[in-house]
Amino acid sequence: MASSSPVDARADPTAAIQDIYNPAHNIDDFPARVAKYFTGIFSSPGAFEEIPVLSVKRPPGVHEERSLVRFRGMVQDTSYSPEIYLARRSNGRCGGWGLAEDNDDSGGDVHYPDLRECSVIWAVSIPGETSWCTAELDGIESAPVQHSSVQTQGHKNPIPGIPHVGVQVKIYDNTHAEMIRATDILTFVGILTSEPFHVDLDLPAVTLVPTLHVLYTQPLPITVINRSPILREPVKALREDLIDWIADEGLAGDREAAEWVLLCIIARCQSRNPPIIPPSLTISHFPPADTSNATPTISHIISLIQPMLTTLPMSLPVINTTNFFPESRQEDLHSGWLQLPKGSTCIITEGGVNEGSVAERGIMNLRAIQKMMSAQTLEYVFPFSRFEFETDVSMVVICEGRKSAFFQTNINIPLQASDSPELQKLLYKPQNEIKLPPLKTLQNFRHLVGGAKVGTVTVGENVAQYIQDDFVTERKTKAQQGEGKNGEAISAEDLIHRMLIARLMTLSVHEPDVSVEIWEKTKALDARRRGRLDGSNFPV
């Protein structure tokens, strides 16, 4: 008889599996029954939180063999061949979940009808998961990071040199496994073992890697932490406070640039056809740091309100020698900087780029970034084929010149920082020097950003008609005056751009519908941005 106690299942998950196994039932249905059973007994938040965490701060080495753990990770590689296991052993007990290796069978012939397949994938710690997000979900912020045992198969981690956990994941419910895609983020609950790396099975020497035999999974939202587009606080006032804080602490007082940053980091793919994807942003005329490897403070600011942030420090060595896109080598998919979960923000800094040439690898890397910006897709390269995978990543470029040296972005906002003799110090101060708002306010900022990220917006019939009439009138006026970009009247692309920004502005105040007021504010915001560009002779 199966125990319904989370305490018993947590203490001995192997025994729990054996308890719910019934040899009279269809063996093909057993993985689904396992998932249903463990999902049920750990359904309450309290019971789930009691499952030990597998993470950088609680790496595989601190857990006992065959212990129950939960691992929050990103699917990095789904290209492995399925693995054969003995679903019913000769002693009548169930196999799978690593049990076949611990059986007491005395050898003999394999009963082939009892063989089944399990899916094998590789998962890594969520790339760019910010410290506050980890602490909120795991509650182990003060625990020391144990680096020694978390670098397994480092080439499969998107961000080079960052401590992470890499895990070989075995999923026995193949119907569920078929729905899992690369860069999906999930919480895997399973039994932790140490087993040979799947790719090495045919080699004379094998590498033992952490292996998680999945009992069930929980999908995670693009905000990692569940958010709602409804906030109890007065949203408009909170939004103004957030923009002020971003400007004062991260952009040396430039409130206009701060608002564009906010709009871009809350964007997500609303539609593929027609394409309504996150607009890419360039903050141009950004003063350089004293050292080429300095991180702009705006990156730290965003990491305090976003659950996932990756900073890509561009330099010629990084461009020419590191992977930006996933590539299969010797039947093993190596990761790249851009293999990021949907909902991530990527800050690309160009301050470290000096004179020199871009190699062939570098050209491919740069093209991968541009394609992600323009189409939200990333190419995975295999020996005889290439496949495009959908992405959903907000991208912000920081450059010293009038525009990015490498990329064409949807929006360019020249920085107009305060006139301060310590401008560099203001723009590149470390995270521990940032003035934080009260914790409650900071939490509300995170709720505002997360709620905007998952919200939806519609354009009512009356507002749509107003926008259309307004566009026609403005187009005629601009044409008559010979104004507009490069002396031309505004185009349909300008209207599409404004509509996208109006949607984002609506989301940023947690409203469900674009209003005439928001449309007019959008026009004014974009006009001020274009005014900066025209005044500085910068290209739009």
Side-chain angles (χ1 to χ4, degrees):
M1 185 70 180
S3 169
S4 60
S5 167
V7 175
D8 293 339
R10 191 170 62 245
D12 193 348
T14 301
I17 292 176
Q18 297 286 14
D19 285 345
I20 62 176
Y21 175 68
N22 186 337
H25 291 166
N26 187 343
I27 191 64
D28 292 324
D29 297 333
F30 187 57
R33 293 207 307 273
V34 169
K36 182 179 180 180
Y37 170 76
F38 282 94
T39 300
I41 63 173
F42 291 113
S43 59
S44 71
F48 179 79
E49 290 168 3
E50 288 297 317
I51 301 174
V53 174
L54 175 64
S55 68
V56 170
K57 294 183 177 181
R58 293 287 186 268
V62 306
H63 298 277
E64 295 183 1
E65 184 79 359
R66 299 199 61 78
S67 60
L68 182 71
V69 298
R70 56 184 168 102
F71 174 58
R72 188 172 58 258
M74 182 195 80
V75 177
Q76 188 271 331
D77 189 356
T78 61
S79 64
Y80 300 141
S81 300
E83 185 172 290
I84 302 296
Y85 72 98
L86 191 60
R88 182 185 287 112
R89 294 181 284 167
S90 60
N91 60 9
R93 306 180 76 181
C94 72
W97 293 275
L99 292 172
E101 287 75 20
D102 299 329
N103 67 70
D104 53 5
D105 299 340
S106 59
D109 296 332
V110 173
H111 189 227
Y112 289 99
D114 291 335
L115 294 178
R116 295 293 185 274
E117 289 183 347
C118 71
S119 299
V120 183
I121 64 176
W122 189 268
V124 296
S125 305
I126 296 178
E129 184 178 274
T130 49
S131 59
W132 69 266
C133 179
T134 301
E136 186 165 332
L137 291 171
D138 295 343
I140 51 176
E141 185 175 17
S142 60
V145 178
Q146 301 191 28
H147 298 269
S148 59
S149 57
V150 296
Q151 299 301 326
T152 303
Q153 308 299 315
H155 62 277
K156 301 184 77 64
N157 188 42
I159 308 174
I162 298 297
H164 76 286
V165 173
V167 181
Q168 181 172 249
V169 178
K170 297 186 178 182
I171 304 174
Y172 296 84
D173 186 347
N174 289 312
T175 301
H176 173 59
E178 290 172 357
M179 298 185 293
I180 295 176
R181 299 289 182 265
T183 72
D184 284 353
I185 52 175
L186 307 95
T187 297
F188 300 93
V189 177
I191 298 173
L192 182 65
T193 64
S194 180
E195 298 179 11
F197 186 31
H198 190 70
V199 174
D200 295 344
L201 289 179
D202 295 329
L203 300 179
V206 297
T207 303
L208 294 179
V209 297
T211 301
L212 192 60
H213 297 270
V214 172
L215 301 169
Y216 74 98
T217 66
Q218 288 186 350
L220 294 169
I222 62 172
T223 51
V224 186
I225 299 171
N226 287 317
R227 297 299 189 197
S228 168
I230 300 175
L231 195 61
R232 294 180 180 177
E233 299 293 324
V235 177
K236 292 183 179 180
L238 183 66
R239 179 185 185 275
E240 295 302 302
D241 291 342
L242 174 56
I243 292 172
D244 286 340
W245 180 64
I246 293 173
D248 293 341
E249 292 301 315
L251 295 171
D254 190 342
R255 203 175 184 282
E256 293 286 314
E259 185 161 10
W260 283 107
V261 168
L262 173 61
L263 294 178
C264 287
I265 66 173
I266 66 172
R268 64 179 174 88
C269 288
Q270 301 279 352
S271 170
R272 293 282 173 177
N273 187 23
I276 306 176
I277 62 177
S280 51
L281 171 68
T282 294
I283 306 177
S284 57
H285 214 248
F286 202 97
D290 291 332
T291 58
S292 60
N293 60 352
T295 300
T297 306
I298 186 62
S299 182
H300 300 312
I301 291 291
I302 296 175
S303 75
L304 290 168
I305 55 176
Q306 284 279 68
M308 296 179 290
L309 173 75
T310 296
T311 301
L312 203 172
M314 297 280 279
S315 66
L316 286 179
V318 170
I319 293 171
N320 288 330
T321 64
T322 63
N323 295 338
F324 282 26
F325 52 88
E327 184 175 7
S328 181
R329 302 172 190 169
Q330 298 180 334
E331 300 184 358
D332 187 18
L333 187 66
H334 291 228
S335 191
W337 283 96
L338 302 179
Q339 193 183 24
L340 301 173
K342 293 178 180 179
S344 297
T345 297
C346 182
I347 306 287
I348 301 170
T349 63
E350 296 184 2
V353 179
N354 299 315
E355 292 186 5
S357 59
V358 178
E360 181 179 358
R361 159 70 60 175
I363 293 173
M364 295 171 65
N365 284 335
L366 297 176
R367 286 175 178 170
I369 292 181
Q370 186 63 67
K371 187 65 179 292
M372 182 180 280
M373 289 180 177
S374 59
Q376 283 296 331
T377 59
L378 180 64
E379 199 171 62
Y380 287 43
V381 177
F382 295 89
F384 304 104
S385 59
R386 295 168 181 260
F387 297 97
E388 283 192 347
F389 287 75
E390 292 181 351
T391 63
D392 191 353
V393 178
S394 299
M395 307 194 77
V396 179
V397 179
I398 296 176
C399 67
E400 179 182 353
R402 299 184 305 168
K403 59 179 181 177
S404 168
F406 303 107
F407 312 113
Q408 182 176 355
T409 59
N410 300 105
I411 302 166
N412 182 357
I413 177 73
L415 185 70
Q416 288 187 357
S418 59
D419 186 12
S420 170
E422 296 185 338
L423 183 58
Q424 286 183 330
K425 184 177 179 180
L426 292 174
L427 293 173
Y428 292 95
K429 61 187 175 185
Q431 185 166 338
N432 59 6
E433 294 182 10
I434 294 174
K435 295 179 181 178
L436 297 177
L439 179 59
K440 178 62 175 177
T441 301
L442 187 57
Q443 291 172 338
N444 286 333
F445 287 167
R446 293 165 181 167
H447 279 281
L448 187 151
V449 171
K453 192 88 170 178
V454 300
T456 57
V457 168
T458 59
V459 182
E461 184 177 344
N462 292 338
V463 174
Q465 186 62 51
Y466 177 90
I467 292 172
Q468 181 178 329
D469 294 343
D470 182 60
F471 171 70
V472 171
T473 300
E474 183 179 5
R475 191 172 188 177
K476 288 180 179 178
T477 302
K478 294 287 187 181
Q480 292 170 357
Q481 297 175 350
E483 297 179 1
K485 185 169 59 178
N486 298 324
E488 300 175 0
I490 62 172
S491 65
E493 287 74 18
D494 295 317
L495 176 61
I496 293 172
H497 164 76
R498 286 185 187 173
M499 284 295 298
L500 175 58
I501 302 307
R503 288 175 178 272
L504 293 175
M505 188 169 286
T506 304
L507 288 169
S508 72
V509 291
H510 286 209
E511 294 290 343
D513 304 295
V514 176
S515 64
V516 171
E517 179 186 5
I518 285 178
W519 174 252
E520 293 296 337
K521 286 184 176 180
T522 298
K523 287 172 56 182
L525 178 67
D526 201 43
R528 293 193 298 271
R529 180 186 69 86
R530 289 173 178 268
R532 288 193 184 188
L533 294 168
D534 293 340
S536 304
N537 293 319
F538 285 178
V540 178

